[in-house]
Amino acid sequence: MHKFSKFIFCLLGVVTISFTACNDLDLVPEDRFTDANYWTTTEKANSVLNSAYSQMYRSDYFFYNEGMSDNAYNGRGDQNGVASLAAGTYDASLGRIREEWNFHYAGIKTCHIFLENVDRVENMDATLKERMKAEARFIRAFHYFQLLTWYGDVPFFDHDISVEEAKTISRTPRAQVLEFVLNELTQIAEALPINTAYAAADRGRITKGAAIALKARALLYEGRWQDVVTTCETLLNNSNGTYSLFPSYEGVFLPQNENNSEVILDIQFVPEVRAHNHYFDIAPLAVGARLNALAPTQELVDSYLTENGRRIQETGSEYDESDPYDNRDPRFASTIVYHGYEWKRANGTTETIYTQPGSDPDASAVDEYKPGGVSSPTGYYFRKYYDPTSSVNFLSGLNLILIRYADVLLMYAEAKNELGQMNETVWNQTIRALRARAGFTDPAALNYPAVAQDELRTIIRNERRIELAFEGLRIFDIRRWRIGGQVLNGWAHGAKFGPSSVDNGYIRVNQRTFDESRHYLWPIPRDERALNPNLTQNPNW
């Protein structure tokens, strides 16, 4: 297995550049490049581009963003501000609001430095240079896409700006920034190789398929359904890369299958160079975790279908509340740890996880639910993205997938349904294919349901939630579907370990508030507005 080499560093603020430690565990030597004569070799240029790669996304955001949604709860501390964001108890001074802003603008600065200086490298292969420029432009577009999604109107510039300019620049209309992102992704796709054209040592670099898939996601978030269909079809026909569903749902996320046929874009890690260990505070305590800081909610658990493809509240689902984890969607056990779960260890042995109070035969009972304890506050843990090869304290070099082929199928299905074009052919190509890969065998779960468009919308949205659970996308779906008022107001719940007199015995975990008049956009960070009075604020902040 090969992953392209990295010089890992972070940028602090939008106007400085240096090698320092990122939030991920970066174990390479620190250095800095400021010499005007730096741009002398292809290798040096490549080190700057690799730095831009390392800044594209953060592993802590990847995991903990799920805690902003109704899928998970951050119960200890306020990791990356997600507990405050989920509860609706935040304002423009929240650290995460400022950090996300600075993180993306720092990444944009690295891209600008690369793009404005790479032509100074003499005797550089022209084709390679154009490809590297396209990679940097993709990363820049990715950052701007994240910014406009969180904040709406944001300062936009396509070149490296001075400190003085940074203090006076105004916000650019969101639509204009989006247009730039879409145009960039269209243009750079022509200069990027398809996924199978890269040598093994360059696996993980940005491809033509990644540019197309990110464009599809941006169009999806805008509800531009026909454009989504047209864009996705250029990936479904394998004319812009070779992608397919990996045969095993669980296997998609295991280290031995990195860079598999389903991966379109991921964050690359190398155990001896760059790693993450967030599972130290996510896994069950009985298998070596320190505490639990991110736990699945009962709401997520309840979204999983039964084996015949019905929702648990539907007539004929065969759901048994007294045995709730039996007869469920095969993806459930690959994603969520529940009471009685058999945790598979790397050495082939198993560990039974007991979360129901009073059930653990071992007197230590480390994972039993206890109010205020360090075990899961919901009675559930995550399993998906656990790395069986991780070392001490769950230190892992497992890649984290940002876009995969399953998402393309889901985007296509959603867009076709919104256009009134969902039919048996599209269903079989998308939802049936995902369920068959997951392990469903009951024809009732696999066959096209002859139901109205609204019911199909509910089915497709729920399929998206299940398939992509714990991949950090649920909060974006909530925002674009405008359902925050429905799913992020009131109590988040855990397993049925509470008093029967309250919520039918399901643990009340966290009370949340979602203000539809302002929470669909984050506020512009208070500190940024203090530095730059030209930055206006979002409505009702």
Side-chain angles (χ1 to χ4, degrees):
M1 182 182 304
H2 298 273
K3 303 182 184 183
F4 65 86
S5 62
K6 295 175 176 67
F7 291 79
I8 307 302
F9 76 110
C10 287
L11 296 177
L12 304 178
V14 299
V15 293
T16 61
I17 182 166
S18 65
F19 284 112
T20 65
C22 283
N23 196 282
D24 300 318
L25 301 180
D26 302 325
L27 308 178
V28 297
E30 295 184 356
D31 200 358
R32 69 174 58 230
F33 49 90
T34 56
D35 190 341
N37 295 322
Y38 176 83
W39 302 88
T40 56
T41 66
T42 298
E43 290 72 25
K44 288 183 178 180
N46 193 50
S47 73
V48 180
L49 181 59
N50 286 347
S51 296
Y53 267 96
S54 77
Q55 294 174 275
M56 189 161 63
Y57 210 64
R58 288 171 48 162
S59 60
D60 52 346
Y61 288 1
F62 182 90
F63 287 108
Y64 281 98
N65 275 6
E66 201 77 345
M68 294 184 211
S69 77
D70 54 348
N71 279 357
Y73 170 57
N74 167 217
R76 293 186 66 82
D78 192 3
Q79 297 287 338
N80 302 117
V82 300
S84 296
L85 289 160
T89 56
Y90 66 97
D91 59 24
S93 66
L94 182 70
R96 171 61 184 275
I97 304 293
R98 179 188 67 254
E99 290 163 9
E100 180 104 20
W101 177 282
N102 287 342
F103 174 77
H104 291 300
Y105 278 113
I108 289 168
K109 181 176 183 66
T110 302
C111 294
H112 285 156
I113 288 174
F114 175 84
L115 291 168
E116 292 175 18
N117 288 281
V118 67
D119 285 336
R120 296 167 59 187
V121 180
E122 297 179 357
N123 302 317
M124 186 175 181
D125 180 82
T127 301
L128 175 62
K129 182 187 295 185
E130 289 309 303
R131 190 205 81 192
M132 291 172 68
K133 285 182 178 180
E135 292 172 68
R137 289 169 67 186
F138 175 97
I139 296 169
R140 179 177 61 180
F142 183 88
H143 284 299
Y144 273 123
F145 175 57
Q146 293 288 313
L147 285 165
L148 69 87
T149 302
W150 288 124
Y151 302 98
D153 300 347
V154 293
F156 169 77
F157 40 94
D158 60 3
H159 60 281
D160 192 29
I161 62 174
S162 67
V163 174
E164 291 72 23
E165 289 175 292
K167 290 180 179 179
T168 60
I169 193 168
S170 300
R171 297 168 69 190
T172 303
R174 180 184 184 280
Q176 185 176 330
V177 183
L178 175 65
E179 181 181 13
F180 170 82
V181 169
L182 294 174
N183 288 339
E184 282 287 276
L185 294 173
T186 299
Q187 292 173 23
I188 63 178
E190 299 304 314
L192 289 166
I194 61 173
N195 60 332
T196 55
Y198 274 116
D202 281 322
R203 286 176 186 165
R205 288 199 177 275
I206 293 158
T207 63
K208 183 187 296 289
I212 294 169
L214 182 59
K215 180 181 177 181
R217 180 177 288 177
L219 292 165
L220 182 84
Y221 286 12
E222 297 302 304
R224 291 171 52 174
W225 305 119
Q226 186 55 59
D227 290 335
V228 173
V229 167
T230 302
T231 304
C232 287
E233 285 178 344
T234 67
L235 292 174
L236 298 179
N237 63 18
N238 280 332
S239 63
N240 290 291
T242 304
Y243 302 101
S244 62
L245 293 178
F246 190 72
S248 163
Y249 180 77
E250 179 184 27
V252 172
F253 312 100
L254 292 175
Q256 63 265 34
N257 302 320
E258 287 182 330
N259 304 305
N260 64 67
S261 63
E262 191 163 339
V263 177
I264 298 177
L265 177 69
D266 62 4
I267 317 172
Q268 295 270 313
F269 291 88
V270 184
E272 66 276 12
V273 178
R274 184 190 190 200
H276 52 84
N277 73 333
H278 304 293
Y279 246 89
F280 195 24
D281 294 330
I282 294 175
L285 278 62
V287 297
R290 172 172 52 187
L291 51 83
N292 183 261
L294 189 68
T297 61
Q298 186 66 43
E299 284 73 21
L300 174 59
V301 171
D302 287 347
S303 72
Y304 282 85
L305 308 173
T306 55
E307 289 180 348
N308 62 10
R310 296 181 183 271
R311 296 186 292 277
I312 61 172
Q313 66 271 26
E314 282 188 83
T315 302
S317 70
E318 302 179 10
Y319 171 72
D320 182 358
E321 193 175 21
S322 66
D323 191 10
Y325 314 125
D326 185 43
N327 182 37
R328 300 299 287 274
D329 183 323
R331 289 167 290 193
F332 179 54
S334 296
T335 307
I336 295 176
V337 177
Y338 47 84
H339 174 66
Y341 186 93
E342 294 296 324
W343 181 279
K344 294 178 289 186
R345 295 182 180 273
N347 62 7
T349 63
T350 61
E351 175 80 25
T352 304
I353 307 301
Y354 298 96
T355 63
Q356 184 173 332
S359 63
D360 192 341
D362 185 343
S364 64
V366 293
D367 282 303
E368 288 187 0
Y369 165 71
K370 299 179 183 67
V374 297
S375 61
S376 165
T378 68
Y380 300 108
Y381 296 90
F382 280 110
R383 169 75 184 194
K384 190 176 187 178
Y385 269 112
Y386 163 67
D387 178 3
T389 67
S390 57
S391 60
V392 63
N393 296 340
F394 296 86
L395 188 66
S396 170
L398 181 62
N399 294 346
L400 303 177
I401 305 170
L402 296 177
I403 309 177
R404 57 190 178 94
Y405 187 66
D407 191 5
V408 175
L409 297 181
L410 288 163
M411 289 192 285
Y412 187 65
E414 182 177 346
K416 290 293 272 188
N417 186 62
E418 293 302 326
L419 292 169
Q421 298 172 3
M422 174 58 75
N423 54 36
E424 186 172 6
T425 300
V426 176
W427 173 273
N428 289 345
Q429 187 179 14
T430 59
I431 308 303
R432 181 189 178 104
L434 290 168
R435 291 184 179 182
R437 187 272 294 274
F440 280 99
T441 57
D442 192 322
L446 295 173
N447 294 341
Y448 175 60
V451 296
Q453 183 187 38
D454 286 349
E455 177 61 17
L456 280 169
R457 180 181 296 116
T458 299
I459 291 170
I460 293 167
R461 287 184 177 187
N462 194 67
E463 191 74 20
R464 183 173 179 85
R465 182 180 189 180
I466 294 167
E467 175 70 27
L468 302 176
F470 204 38
E471 297 182 43
L473 296 177
R474 175 66 176 172
I475 186 60
F476 298 108
D477 289 336
I478 289 171
R479 289 155 65 96
R480 69 183 177 89
W481 290 332
R482 301 304 238 202
I483 60 171
Q486 301 170 41
V487 303
L488 291 177
N489 267 322
W491 287 95
H493 295 88
K496 199 172 183 178
F497 301 157
S500 59
S501 59
V502 178
D503 289 346
N504 197 31
Y506 290 95
I507 304 166
R508 280 187 167 184
V509 176
N510 179 236
Q511 190 167 25
R512 296 172 168 184
T513 301
F514 189 91
D515 183 346
E516 298 218 36
S517 73
R518 62 177 184 164
H519 283 162
Y520 284 116
L521 287 177
W522 282 356
I524 303 304
R526 181 189 62 185
D527 291 353
E528 295 299 322
R529 296 188 70 223
L531 290 170
N532 180 1
N534 289 326
L535 294 177
T536 57
Q537 187 54 281
N538 279 323
N540 300 312
W541 286 106

